[in-house]
Amino acid sequence: MRPMLMPQIPPPVKKKLKLQGLKDRSVASMGKHGTLHEFTFFDKVRRVLKSQDVYENFLRCIALFNQEVVSGSELLQLVTPFLGKFPELFAQFKSFLGEKELSHGPPLLSERSMDGSGREIDYASCKRLGSSYRALPKAYQQPKCSGRTTICKEVLNDTWVSFPSWSEDSTFVSSKKTPYEEQLHRCEDERFELDVVLETNLATIRVLESVQKKLSRLSQEDQEKFKLDDCLGGTSEVIQRRAIYRIYGDKAPEIIEGLKKNPATAVPVVLKRLKAKEEEWREAQQGFNRIWREQYEKAYLKSLDHQGVNFKQNDVKALRSKSLLNEIESIYDEHQEQSSEEGKPPASGPHLIYVYEDKQILEDAASLIIYHVKRQPTIQKEDKDHIKRIIHHFIPDLFFARRGELSEPGESSEEEVETSPELPPNSSETRRRLTPGLQDALEVPPEPVELRLAEAEQQKGLDDVYSLFFVNNNWYFFLRLHQILCSRLLRIYRQAEKQLLDFQAEKEKEKLLHEGRKEKSNDPATELRLKQPSEVELEEYYPAFLAMVRSLLDGNLEPTHYEDTLREMFTIHAYIGFTIDKIIQNIIRQLQHLVSDDICLQVVELYMSEKKRGAAGGNLSSQSVRSAKETAYQWKAERVMADENCFKVMFMQSKEQVTLTIELLDTEEPQSEDPLDIQNLASYMEQYMGAEGAQDHQSDGFFFKPVFLPRNLQKFRKWQIKQMTAVKREQKSLWRRRLGVETASSVDCRFKLNTHKMVFVMNSEDYMYRRGALLRARQLQPSVSRTQHHRFEEWHSHWLETNVTDEMADIVQDWLMGEDEEDMVPCKTMCETVNVHGIPVNKYRVRYSRQPHSP
């Protein structure tokens, strides 16, 4: 009987397809239990190999031997890298195989080398090349080979030996295969193994047929004398032996001896058995091909998707409210630490910045959200109407986009949705070729809560405008989820657009190169039948994607079928659409908070009131004019959101793109024992920063409360009123030309609760500079000097007439000219009149007849 190693312990490899009829093994031998000696041997091997992966590879080699894929001598070659360093275990393993198994097959390299010196080489200390090759020592005696030529000696390798390094020794990290890649590899391995079996059997049939033809030409006497060598009539002794062992199993040595000694009798019998197995295995191959093709079609697209395996699990965690809050808090902490390390006060600025490049995506996102809201039986009808106003009116106003149209309040039931009215002609889904019947276009009903502003509608066509919105946690979660939804919809839309453009360019190129020839498919995977051709046209990819999302939200489409269809359309880029339904569900959960939570409602009401007052956005060039009002708006928002985080959200429009910035504000203040102090501080701050309190004190300056000299206040107030009137009339170009003021409001101050004393922080300042002020001052300097000189001259003339007599004037003139002074050094004084900026100025020059003595 053929010895069977590991009769009780199955190999730890994944089960492969069984090839029926390929092996004639005894089933009874598989059920025998191993001895204690055998179990002790495997336990020792597991300990010395250390790594579980290495031990499993060792067991795989034994499994190949048990499945009769390799012979005993080939098995000994396979396990030499594992047990070659352990002579005792290697000798014990050879004893398990027995001399009978080792007698068949070519001798091992270690057996051909002298005294087994090949197994005694310490490869770890040899010269290395990379991480997997070692050089044989110079003292190593090469085995003899009689068939080598001069070219063989030049090109064949006799120095470097493969020395694999296992996971615990190697620092190289290979890419991990996905389960679907492993499935394709298993199919390829099975196909290869079956092809080897069939080709080996076919080669043996051809050898024996040639022997049979040769015997047919011999006489009866010569046939009896005819013998075969170890190659059995062929050129290789391994191939024929392997084919015979696979069919006859334990009886194979007797069959081989019979072929050698009496080929005339044995060859026809063996040849008939080989041909019968050939037909049987060919039929089995056809059945396996169908199974393998099905597995290829199921796993091919999934095997290409490396990111989709872990994306869903990670993305679901990232979409949680806690993860979104941790994201901005970690950025906030990094900014704080960086400022503290640099020794500077914390700088204010956005922590998150996102760009909306295509406003039409807002309409697609709104249609998906409203579609799912309508089908939520747990949401009250009033809340659904409120959500529609937020999605169709409030959000588009924030993004300076076109407002959506609302359906009648009484027609928001599921029956209305199933009637599938046609889309309005200007909807984004019509432009993107989406199937009709997925958006309502009816008249706008009267709204209980007004979420529309005329100011927002006027700013939509302008550039360099912004909206300011202070929000709480729930609004932040909604805006972040809404941004994620829009960004992924845009990525999928652009991927579909890119694939369409690439397909059209490829068709044009093929048309030029192969004009007049039959058109062929350019997709190798489709030609190899690894995947089925897509049922959706390229032009319909994005609309079909939106339709599938709706079906997925309704529960009419299985998630697995949804993902497979996305992979067929967008290949490796499909993974970003796997969790679209989860994003929409989370958005609706946040929308329910926005329409039911008191703080969320107060946040919106405060924004609407401040927007009407001009404190929640406007033109970027005049932002400094609104700084006081915006600061007052921020203070009010922090009071409303006293128990929550406060976020400063800005929507800035420039060149048809909207930039969303989010900043987490530091609202923590020193704790006070007396609540009256906090209330007084709030009133004081509101009076100090607000425009309402400033309007009652016109003597303190103009109503924005800057500090100006009294002589300039009246003129500047008139100029300010003209500029504000220009802004209200949307005279944008005139406003920019006449304003021409650059300001920076980076001053930082702190208030003490007990005394309400304001203390300014060092290294923080404000400045205001009017463009061209220096040039204009240089141009106006002469006229200003003349005017001031004339005023001074009039005043001086009037003073001389009143206080100075003619005699006193003559004495001063004589003194200036140096006359009637006997004690003076002889000199001559001359008066010269010159013009300075058009003003006559007298200059007195003295010339001495001799140089005066030094004092």
Side-chain angles (χ1 to χ4, degrees):
M1 297 294 290
R2 179 188 177 99
M4 300 297 294
L5 296 180
M6 293 194 319
Q8 189 177 9
I9 305 176
V13 293
K14 296 183 179 179
K15 192 173 182 179
K16 300 183 179 181
L17 288 172
K18 295 182 179 180
L19 304 180
Q20 298 292 338
L22 295 185
K23 303 168 187 176
D24 295 336
R25 295 189 300 180
S26 174
V27 181
S29 63
M30 297 296 293
K32 293 183 180 179
H33 297 280
T35 63
L36 180 62
H37 182 60
E38 293 172 346
F39 284 112
T40 305
F41 167 76
F42 285 104
D43 186 58
K44 290 181 181 179
V45 172
R46 182 187 292 106
R47 288 200 301 269
V48 298
L49 293 180
K50 297 179 181 180
S51 173
Q52 182 64 24
D53 294 336
V54 178
Y55 179 67
E56 289 179 357
N57 289 334
F58 171 72
L59 296 182
R60 288 190 180 97
C61 297
I62 299 177
L64 293 176
F65 172 74
N66 289 341
Q67 297 171 3
E68 300 184 8
V69 177
V70 296
S71 63
S73 58
E74 292 171 334
L75 174 62
L76 201 59
Q77 288 180 336
L78 292 176
V79 301
T80 299
F82 300 98
L83 304 180
K85 299 179 182 180
F86 312 102
E88 183 180 352
L89 292 177
F90 192 76
Q92 190 176 358
F93 184 79
K94 289 180 64 178
S95 66
F96 286 159
L97 287 177
E99 296 297 332
K100 188 175 181 180
E101 282 293 331
L102 297 178
S103 62
H104 306 290
L108 301 177
L109 173 64
S110 58
E111 295 173 352
R112 293 197 300 264
S113 61
M114 295 183 63
D115 299 330
S117 59
R119 293 196 304 270
E120 298 174 1
I121 297 175
D122 186 9
Y123 292 103
S125 61
C126 295
K127 181 182 177 181
R128 65 174 56 191
L129 178 65
S131 59
S132 300
Y133 291 94
R134 300 292 186 271
L136 292 173
K138 295 182 179 179
Y140 176 76
Q141 184 177 358
Q142 296 286 347
K144 295 181 180 180
C145 182
S146 59
R148 288 203 175 185
T149 63
T150 305
I151 298 179
C152 295
K153 294 178 181 179
E154 293 178 358
V155 300
L156 296 180
N157 169 43
D158 288 327
T159 305
W160 298 102
V161 178
S162 176
F163 186 78
S165 57
W166 311 110
S167 57
E168 67 271 12
D169 302 326
S170 176
T171 58
F172 175 73
V173 180
S174 60
S175 58
K176 186 178 180 180
K177 293 184 176 66
T178 64
Y180 307 104
E181 281 185 300
E182 294 287 354
Q183 184 177 355
L184 293 183
H185 281 289
R186 285 197 303 270
C187 291
E188 287 297 321
D189 290 342
E190 291 168 358
R191 291 175 66 104
F192 174 76
E193 291 175 6
L194 181 56
D195 288 340
V196 170
V197 170
L198 293 173
E199 291 301 322
T200 303
N201 190 71
L202 183 60
T204 306
I205 290 175
R206 291 171 180 170
V207 169
L208 294 182
E209 283 181 345
S210 64
V211 173
Q212 190 177 22
K213 289 181 180 179
K214 187 175 182 180
L215 289 172
S216 63
R217 292 194 294 268
L218 298 177
S219 62
Q220 185 68 27
E221 183 179 353
D222 292 337
Q223 288 181 1
E224 294 176 358
K225 296 179 181 180
F226 183 78
K227 307 293 181 184
L228 292 177
D229 56 4
D230 292 337
C231 295
L232 301 180
T235 58
S236 170
E237 114 183 50
V238 178
I239 296 177
Q240 284 72 246
R241 286 178 178 273
R242 184 175 297 176
I244 295 174
Y245 265 99
R246 183 170 291 107
I247 294 178
Y248 290 97
D250 298 336
K251 302 296 183 179
E254 301 176 3
I255 299 297
I256 293 174
E257 288 297 324
L259 288 172
K260 289 181 179 180
K261 296 179 180 179
N262 193 4
T265 305
V267 167
V269 177
V270 175
L271 189 58
K272 181 179 180 182
R273 182 70 181 275
L274 290 175
K275 290 182 178 180
K277 285 296 181 181
E278 175 74 12
E279 295 178 0
E280 180 183 345
W281 292 342
R282 292 293 179 184
E283 292 179 1
Q285 186 184 33
Q286 295 178 0
F288 289 133
N289 286 337
R290 289 191 294 270
I291 298 174
W292 288 326
R293 188 179 301 113
E294 293 176 358
Q295 293 179 351
Y296 283 144
E297 292 177 355
K298 292 179 181 179
Y300 170 71
L301 292 173
K302 296 179 181 179
S303 67
L304 300 178
D305 189 8
H306 280 258
Q307 300 187 66
V309 177
N310 300 320
F311 175 78
K312 289 179 61 178
Q313 182 179 0
N314 297 334
D315 195 55
V316 169
K317 294 180 181 178
L319 295 176
R320 295 174 182 170
S321 301
K322 184 178 180 181
S323 301
L324 296 175
L325 188 59
N326 290 339
E327 177 186 7
I328 193 170
E329 285 182 347
S330 62
I331 299 176
Y332 174 84
D333 293 338
E334 290 177 3
H335 289 189
Q336 295 291 106
E337 293 176 2
Q338 184 177 2
S339 301
S340 61
E341 291 176 359
E342 297 175 356
K344 299 180 181 179
S348 61
H351 297 126
L352 297 173
I353 301 176
Y354 303 101
V355 179
Y356 290 74
E357 300 177 359
D358 189 352
K359 292 184 182 179
Q360 294 182 6
I361 291 296
L362 296 172
E363 301 177 18
D364 297 336
S367 66
L368 291 175
I369 294 171
I370 297 301
Y371 180 85
H372 196 45
V373 167
K374 290 179 179 180
R375 286 155 177 79
Q376 298 303 309
T378 57
I379 303 178
Q380 299 296 327
K381 179 178 176 300
E382 293 77 9
D383 292 341
K384 288 184 178 180
D385 295 337
H386 195 176
I387 290 174
K388 291 179 183 178
R389 288 191 294 275
I390 291 176
I391 298 299
H392 285 310
H393 290 170
F394 187 71
I395 297 300
D397 287 347
L398 289 177
F399 286 94
F400 309 99
R402 186 182 60 187
R403 292 170 180 162
E405 297 185 1
L406 298 177
S407 59
E408 292 290 347
E411 299 180 0
S412 60
S413 60
E414 296 184 3
E415 289 77 11
E416 177 220 1
V417 178
E418 295 178 358
T419 56
S420 300
E422 293 185 359
L423 289 172
N426 294 327
S427 71
S428 65
E429 299 189 8
T430 302
R431 289 192 299 272
R432 297 170 189 265
R433 297 176 58 84
L434 188 61
T435 53
L438 300 173
Q439 182 179 357
D440 303 314
L442 301 175
E443 296 181 359
V444 180
E447 302 168 0
V449 179
E450 180 62 39
L451 294 177
R452 304 175 68 175
L453 291 174
E455 294 83 354
E457 190 68 26
Q458 295 173 358
Q459 294 177 347
K460 291 181 180 180
L462 302 178
D463 270 348
D464 298 329
V465 292
Y466 73 99
S467 295
L468 178 63
F469 191 20
F470 291 96
V471 300
N472 62 343
N473 290 340
N474 293 113
W475 268 104
Y476 164 72
F477 298 148
F478 167 75
L479 292 174
R480 282 288 290 112
L481 293 170
H482 185 268
Q483 183 273 330
I484 294 173
L485 176 62
C486 292
S487 65
R488 294 189 181 176
L489 290 177
L490 181 60
R491 286 181 62 183
I492 293 176
Y493 171 72
R494 289 188 170 176
Q495 178 60 30
E497 190 177 36
K498 178 179 178 298
Q499 291 181 199
L500 179 60
L501 293 176
D502 293 344
F503 176 78
Q504 292 175 348
E506 190 68 25
K507 286 297 181 184
E508 290 294 331
K509 182 179 178 181
E510 182 181 347
K511 185 178 180 181
L512 294 175
L513 295 177
H514 306 284
E515 190 171 2
R517 298 183 182 179
K518 186 178 180 181
E519 214 173 89
K520 295 183 180 179
S521 174
N522 292 325
D523 189 357
T526 304
E527 293 182 359
L528 294 174
R529 293 189 293 181
L530 294 176
K531 67 175 185 178
Q532 296 294 332
S534 177
E535 299 178 357
V536 184
E537 296 294 334
L538 275 172
E539 295 83 355
E540 302 291 338
Y541 270 13
Y542 183 73
F545 161 72
L546 296 179
M548 285 194 300
V549 173
R550 291 183 174 88
S551 300
L552 183 64
L553 292 173
D554 288 341
N556 299 329
L557 186 65
E558 291 294 332
T560 55
H561 181 63
Y562 167 76
E563 294 175 9
D564 292 341
T565 308
L566 281 187
R567 289 191 186 97
E568 291 179 4
M569 294 192 297
F570 303 108
T571 61
I572 61 175
H573 306 282
Y575 70 95
I576 59 175
F578 289 170
T579 55
I580 292 290
D581 58 326
K582 305 297 181 184
I583 299 175
I584 296 175
Q585 292 169 2
N586 289 345
I587 288 176
I588 293 177
R589 193 176 298 113
Q590 295 301 330
L591 282 171
Q592 290 181 270
H593 289 290
L594 298 185
V595 299
S596 60
D597 186 72
D598 293 336
I599 301 297
C600 297
L601 295 175
Q602 293 178 24
V603 167
V604 177
E605 292 176 1
L606 179 62
Y607 169 78
M608 303 297 288
S609 61
E610 295 296 325
K611 188 71 173 178
K612 294 177 181 178
R613 203 168 62 89
N619 202 305
L620 282 171
S621 60
S622 60
Q623 184 180 6
S624 58
V625 180
R626 291 181 293 274
S627 59
K629 290 185 178 181
E630 291 178 357
T631 306
Y633 173 31
Q634 176 179 343
W635 181 253
K636 294 177 184 178
E638 291 178 358
R639 290 173 58 187
V640 171
M641 295 172 276
D643 298 331
E644 296 188 45
N645 292 321
C646 183
F647 300 87
K648 180 181 179 181
V649 183
M650 291 187 67
F651 304 85
M652 295 174 287
Q653 178 174 245
S654 177
K655 299 179 180 178
E656 298 298 327
Q657 292 185 353
V658 178
T659 302
L660 169 66
T661 65
I662 304 177
E663 178 184 0
L664 175 60
L665 300 179
D666 183 8
T667 57
E668 295 182 359
E669 296 182 354
Q671 299 294 332
S672 176
E673 297 180 358
D674 188 2
L676 184 61
D677 292 339
I678 300 178
Q679 184 178 359
N680 293 337
L681 177 62
S683 302
Y684 174 73
M685 282 289 295
E686 186 173 355
Q687 182 180 5
Y688 180 81
M689 301 300 298
E692 294 84 354
Q695 292 175 355
D696 297 334
H697 304 280
Q698 298 295 333
S699 61
D700 295 338
F702 75 109
F703 57 89
F704 284 117
K705 290 190 71 64
V707 179
F708 284 95
L709 295 177
R711 66 168 179 256
N712 297 332
L713 179 60
Q714 186 176 6
K715 291 183 179 180
F716 185 80
R717 181 179 298 164
K718 293 180 180 179
W719 177 84
Q720 183 91 23
I721 293 174
K722 291 181 181 179
Q723 300 305 324
M724 296 302 295
T725 304
V727 172
K728 292 181 179 180
R729 293 177 180 177
E730 296 185 359
Q731 296 178 353
K732 181 178 177 182
S733 59
L734 180 62
W735 164 255
R736 287 183 174 178
R737 290 196 301 270
R738 297 186 62 183
L739 183 62
V741 176
E742 292 184 1
T743 61
S745 302
S746 58
V747 69
D748 193 5
C749 59
R750 298 289 185 268
F751 288 88
K752 294 184 178 181
L753 293 177
N754 297 331
T755 61
H756 294 173
K757 183 178 179 180
M758 183 173 65
V759 181
F760 289 92
V761 179
M762 294 180 60
N763 300 324
S764 63
E765 61 182 3
D766 290 352
Y767 76 85
M768 181 180 69
Y769 169 69
R770 182 178 290 121
R771 300 188 189 95
L774 294 178
L775 178 62
R776 186 180 179 187
R778 196 177 294 112
Q779 295 173 350
L780 296 179
Q781 179 63 28
S783 61
V784 173
S785 299
R786 286 194 298 270
T787 302
Q788 292 179 350
H789 175 72
H790 292 325
R791 290 180 182 177
F792 176 75
E793 191 175 13
E794 291 176 1
W795 172 82
H796 188 249
S797 300
H798 179 71
W799 184 84
L800 289 177
E801 292 177 358
T802 306
N803 300 297
V804 179
T805 63
D806 294 338
E807 184 179 359
M808 297 171 63
D810 293 338
I811 293 173
V812 172
Q813 184 65 25
D814 292 341
W815 181 82
L816 289 172
M817 296 301 296
E819 298 176 356
D820 298 335
E821 293 291 339
E822 297 177 356
D823 297 336
M824 294 182 63
V825 176
C827 62
K828 184 179 180 181
T829 303
M830 296 177 293
C831 179
E832 298 178 357
T833 303
V834 297
N835 288 329
V836 179
H837 298 298
I839 302 172
V841 178
N842 292 331
K843 288 186 177 182
Y844 295 89
R845 192 182 304 276
V846 179
R847 293 182 180 179
Y848 296 92
S849 59
R850 70 174 184 272
Q851 200 69 16
H853 298 287
S854 299

